[in-house]
mmCIF file of all heavy atoms in Angstrom:
data_model
loop_
_atom_site.group_PDB
_atom_site.id
_atom_site.type_symbol
_atom_site.label_atom_id
_atom_site.label_comp_id
_atom_site.label_asym_id
_atom_site.label_seq_id
_atom_site.Cartn_x
_atom_site.Cartn_y
_atom_site.Cartn_z
ATOM 1 N N PRO A 220 114.873 139.850 106.756
ATOM 2 C CA PRO A 220 114.067 139.880 107.913
ATOM 3 C C PRO A 220 114.980 139.832 109.243
ATOM 4 O O PRO A 220 116.202 139.686 109.086
ATOM 5 C CB PRO A 220 113.214 138.486 107.885
ATOM 6 C CG PRO A 220 114.146 137.671 107.229
ATOM 7 C CD PRO A 220 114.757 138.582 106.100
ATOM 8 N N ASP A 221 114.343 140.041 110.361
ATOM 9 C CA ASP A 221 115.090 140.019 111.663
ATOM 10 C C ASP A 221 115.569 138.554 111.991
ATOM 11 O O ASP A 221 116.549 138.375 112.607
ATOM 12 C CB ASP A 221 114.313 140.581 112.797
ATOM 13 C CG ASP A 221 113.989 142.087 112.633
ATOM 14 O OD1 ASP A 221 114.987 142.873 112.514
ATOM 15 O OD2 ASP A 221 112.781 142.441 112.469
ATOM 16 N N ALA A 222 114.666 137.564 111.611
ATOM 17 C CA ALA A 222 114.991 136.211 111.903
ATOM 18 C C ALA A 222 114.353 135.302 110.856
ATOM 19 O O ALA A 222 113.301 135.623 110.244
ATOM 20 C CB ALA A 222 114.530 135.816 113.312
ATOM 21 N N ILE A 223 114.959 134.101 110.646
ATOM 22 C CA ILE A 223 114.448 133.095 109.809
ATOM 23 C C ILE A 223 114.409 131.816 110.608
ATOM 24 O O ILE A 223 115.466 131.399 111.188
ATOM 25 C CB ILE A 223 115.321 132.939 108.562
ATOM 26 C CG1 ILE A 223 115.302 134.102 107.680
ATOM 27 C CG2 ILE A 223 114.852 131.611 107.812
ATOM 28 C CD1 ILE A 223 116.289 133.999 106.499
ATOM 29 N N ILE A 224 113.256 131.216 110.731
ATOM 30 C CA ILE A 224 113.108 129.830 111.381
ATOM 31 C C ILE A 224 113.062 128.780 110.280
ATOM 32 O O ILE A 224 112.156 128.837 109.478
ATOM 33 C CB ILE A 224 111.912 129.866 112.281
ATOM 34 C CG1 ILE A 224 111.988 130.985 113.294
ATOM 35 C CG2 ILE A 224 111.710 128.521 112.967
ATOM 36 C CD1 ILE A 224 110.851 131.080 114.308
ATOM 37 N N TYR A 225 113.965 127.836 110.383
ATOM 38 C CA TYR A 225 114.091 126.901 109.319
ATOM 39 C C TYR A 225 114.112 125.467 109.976
ATOM 40 O O TYR A 225 114.996 125.127 110.738
ATOM 41 C CB TYR A 225 115.461 127.126 108.582
ATOM 42 C CG TYR A 225 115.651 126.301 107.382
ATOM 43 C CD1 TYR A 225 115.050 126.663 106.200
ATOM 44 C CD2 TYR A 225 116.416 125.179 107.426
ATOM 45 C CE1 TYR A 225 115.194 125.895 105.029
ATOM 46 C CE2 TYR A 225 116.611 124.419 106.293
ATOM 47 C CZ TYR A 225 115.941 124.730 105.059
ATOM 48 O OH TYR A 225 116.044 124.013 103.963
ATOM 49 N N PRO A 226 113.140 124.657 109.500
ATOM 50 C CA PRO A 226 113.206 123.211 109.896
ATOM 51 C C PRO A 226 114.421 122.503 109.355
ATOM 52 O O PRO A 226 114.686 122.576 108.144
ATOM 53 C CB PRO A 226 111.918 122.671 109.262
ATOM 54 C CG PRO A 226 111.085 123.778 108.956
ATOM 55 C CD PRO A 226 112.008 124.909 108.697
ATOM 56 N N THR A 227 115.252 121.966 110.283
ATOM 57 C CA THR A 227 116.639 121.600 109.921
ATOM 58 C C THR A 227 116.775 120.034 110.176
ATOM 59 O O THR A 227 116.792 119.562 111.262
ATOM 60 C CB THR A 227 117.664 122.313 110.794
ATOM 61 O OG1 THR A 227 117.444 123.687 110.587
ATOM 62 C CG2 THR A 227 119.019 121.916 110.364
ATOM 63 N N GLY A 228 116.939 119.386 109.043
ATOM 64 C CA GLY A 228 117.343 117.972 108.997
ATOM 65 C C GLY A 228 118.801 117.937 108.553
ATOM 66 O O GLY A 228 119.732 117.938 109.340
ATOM 67 N N GLY A 229 118.964 117.921 107.178
ATOM 68 C CA GLY A 229 120.332 118.016 106.702
ATOM 69 C C GLY A 229 120.902 119.450 106.718
ATOM 70 O O GLY A 229 122.132 119.647 106.702
ATOM 71 N N GLY A 230 120.023 120.438 106.660
ATOM 72 C CA GLY A 230 120.414 121.888 106.760
ATOM 73 C C GLY A 230 120.918 122.495 105.539
ATOM 74 O O GLY A 230 121.465 123.632 105.573
ATOM 75 N N VAL A 231 120.614 121.873 104.345
ATOM 76 C CA VAL A 231 121.104 122.465 103.108
ATOM 77 C C VAL A 231 120.582 123.898 102.836
ATOM 78 O O VAL A 231 121.275 124.794 102.453
ATOM 79 C CB VAL A 231 120.855 121.588 101.913
ATOM 80 C CG1 VAL A 231 121.282 122.198 100.591
ATOM 81 C CG2 VAL A 231 121.395 120.157 102.105
ATOM 82 N N GLY A 232 119.323 124.033 103.045
ATOM 83 C CA GLY A 232 118.678 125.353 102.800
ATOM 84 C C GLY A 232 119.248 126.431 103.790
ATOM 85 O O GLY A 232 119.471 127.580 103.286
#
Side-chain angles (χ1 to χ4, degrees):
D221 296 299
I223 293 173
I224 301 180
Y225 189 79
T227 303
V231 180

